Amino acid sequence: MRSTSWQAHILGTVLGAFLSLTPAVHAAQELPPIFQSFEGIDADGDGFISLEEAREVHIRFFAVLDENRDDSLTTVEFLSKRIGPAEFGFGGPRLYDTLEKLFSAWNVNGDKKLSKAEFIAGGLTGFARADRNGDSRLSKAEYEASLR
């Protein structure tokens, strides 16, 4: 499995698990089931995930993670105790390390904080990789292939 699809799969799993572990936050933010199901992301029900739908999911997820509402994420907010090793058993430490690597890769200005723009841009790199035909929308087949 390519490293990039493995990272996209891990991030998708983390985001889905995060929401399943925090139903109160999920309801309060009126979030779709992020990365849990194709249908949950395809807000308009047209059978494709558009770039805008993916961007909207990342904007909403950023709002959930930004606990102090300062429009940036620290490593603590990004890694969040709600998705830390204790909740993931044996896979937790590896998952935590993967998220730390993603944080570093997405933090392009090196200030040890993720701005909303960095978070969205980083998250949408997975969308671009999954969009095999380059039409700025994901079919269900492209979405499912990105999770393998």
Side-chain angles (χ1 to χ4, degrees), residues 6-144:
W6 179 79
Q7 287 177 342
H9 177 71
I10 292 295
L11 183 59
T13 302
V14 169
L15 294 176
F18 170 79
L19 290 178
S20 69
L21 291 171
T22 57
V25 171
H26 184 293
Q29 296 292 326
E30 298 178 16
L31 292 172
I34 297 175
F35 296 111
Q36 284 184 328
S37 73
F38 179 86
E39 293 77 14
I41 302 169
D42 178 20
D44 63 10
D46 69 352
F48 295 93
I49 297 172
S50 68
L51 183 58
E52 190 53 42
E53 286 168 328
R55 183 184 324 276
E56 182 62 27
V57 165
H58 285 87
I59 289 169
R60 290 180 179 189
F61 193 59
F62 181 90
V64 170
L65 292 177
D66 186 17
E67 293 177 355
N68 65 0
R69 306 290 178 246
D70 68 349
D71 288 326
S72 66
L73 299 178
T74 63
T75 54
V76 171
E77 288 171 315
F78 185 74
L79 300 174
S80 185
K81 65 182 179 278
R82 289 170 290 193
I83 55 173
E87 268 111 351
F88 284 98
F90 294 113
R94 210 160 101 202
L95 190 58
Y96 191 85
D97 291 344
T98 299
L99 287 175
E100 277 190 313
K101 288 176 186 173
L102 283 176
F103 184 93
S104 294
W106 293 1
N107 183 225
V108 291
N109 68 3
D111 67 353
K112 299 188 191 236
K113 290 185 179 183
L114 288 182
S115 67
K116 185 186 268 188
E118 287 173 322
F119 180 82
I120 293 166
L124 292 180
T125 58
F127 179 93
R129 285 186 200 104
D131 183 17
R132 303 205 187 237
N133 64 5
D135 66 354
S136 296
R137 59 189 198 156
L138 298 183
S139 66
K140 190 165 189 169
E142 286 174 316
Y143 172 79
E144 289 174 352

